[in-house]
Structure formats: structure tokens, C-alpha cells
């Protein structure tokens, strides 16, 4: 499942169950989902193309971000946060990388060898 925009939407978790993600609106509806639930981002690299590409994903400071990657080629995922993170991508399915962002702002996640931005995290308090 690929997520292009995460506001009020469904986010798949590793166990296959679904959680509701919340946007940062002035009013929010009650939810059984903890505020610090992990933000999952599914990434597929095939035949030189990446999905998603150039999207925006909302997250919160300190929230666990999980990148789930299926790829047919090796590459490196770069997370341009402070501190920065680099994850080696193998030509394999079912890879998982996780990190947190401690400073609010925009954080680009890009593939180094393909030179493509996967998504930009909009990290809020």
C-alpha cells in the first residue's frame, strides 16, 4: 500500500491491522490510536522507478518513522534530519528501517543513487 498524503487516512502497520492517522487541525476527532503511533511509509523501487516520489508526509516530533522497502536494486536512503540517517537498501523485499526526528521542520527522504526524493516529512510538535 502506498501512501501519498497522510491526513485523516489509513496507515498500514506491520501486523496488517489499520490505524487512523490524525492531521494537525485545530479540532480533532476522538481516536483510540496513541498520538505517538508509528508513521509507516511503504517504498517500492522497480526498474529505476520509485514509488512514492516527491510526496509530503506529516509526522510529529519524536514519532517513530518506519520505512518499509521492496527494491530490485541496491541504493541508499538518506534522511536529511539532525542527526542525519543513512540506510543501505539491498535488492530485496521486506526491508525495514526506522528512526525518529527530534526537531520540527521539513525532512527530505531521498534515494542517493537514483537521485530522487521519496517524500518530505512535515514534522510538527
Amino acid at each position: 500500500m502506498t501512501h501519498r498524503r497522510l491526513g485523516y487516512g489509513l496507515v498500514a502497520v506491520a501486523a496488517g491491522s489499520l490505524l487512523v492517522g490524525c492531521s494537525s487541525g485545530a479540532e480533532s476527532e476522538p481516536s483510540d490510536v496513541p498520538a505517538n503511533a508509528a508513521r509507516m511509509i511503504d517504498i517500492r523501487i522497480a526498474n529505476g522507478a520509485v514509488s512514492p516520489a516527491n510526496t509530503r508526509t506529516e509526522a510529529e516530533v519524536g514519532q517513530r518513522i518506519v520505512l518499509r522497502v521492496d527494491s530490485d536494486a541496491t541504493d541508499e536512503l538518506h534522511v536529511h534530519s539532525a542527526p542525519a540517517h543513512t540506510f543501505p537498501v539491498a535488492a530485496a523485499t521486506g526491508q525495514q528501517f526506522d528512526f525518529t526526528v527530534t526537531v520540527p521542520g521539513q525532512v527530505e527522504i531521498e534515494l542517493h543513487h537514483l537521485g530522487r526524493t521519496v517524500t518530505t516529512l512535515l514534522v510538527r510538535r
Side-chain angles (χ1 to χ4, degrees), residues 63-85:
Q63 183 176 25
R64 183 172 168 235
I65 309 297
V66 179
L67 308 174
R68 297 187 298 193
V69 181
D70 292 335
S71 180
D72 66 356
T74 60
D75 207 317
E76 284 184 349
L77 275 167
H78 290 182
V79 178
H80 296 279
S81 61
H85 303 279

Side-chain angles (χ1 to χ4, degrees), residues 21-47:
C22 296
S23 68
S24 59
E27 299 210 19
S28 61
E29 296 181 23
S31 172
D32 293 333
V33 178
N36 61 352
R39 174 71 68 212
M40 310 299 253
I41 303 172
D42 292 323
I43 302 169
R44 180 169 168 75
I45 305 163
N47 301 317

Side-chain angles (χ1 to χ4, degrees), residues 2-4 9 11 15 17 22 27 32-34 51 53 58-59 64 73 76-77 82-83 89-90 102 114 116-117:
T2 300
H3 303 289
R4 293 190 181 261
V11 180
S17 62
C22 296
E27 299 210 19
D32 293 333
V33 178
S51 176
E58 291 189 14
R64 183 172 168 235
E76 284 184 349
L77 275 167
V89 174
T102 58
L114 284 177
R116 304 229 175 96
T117 299

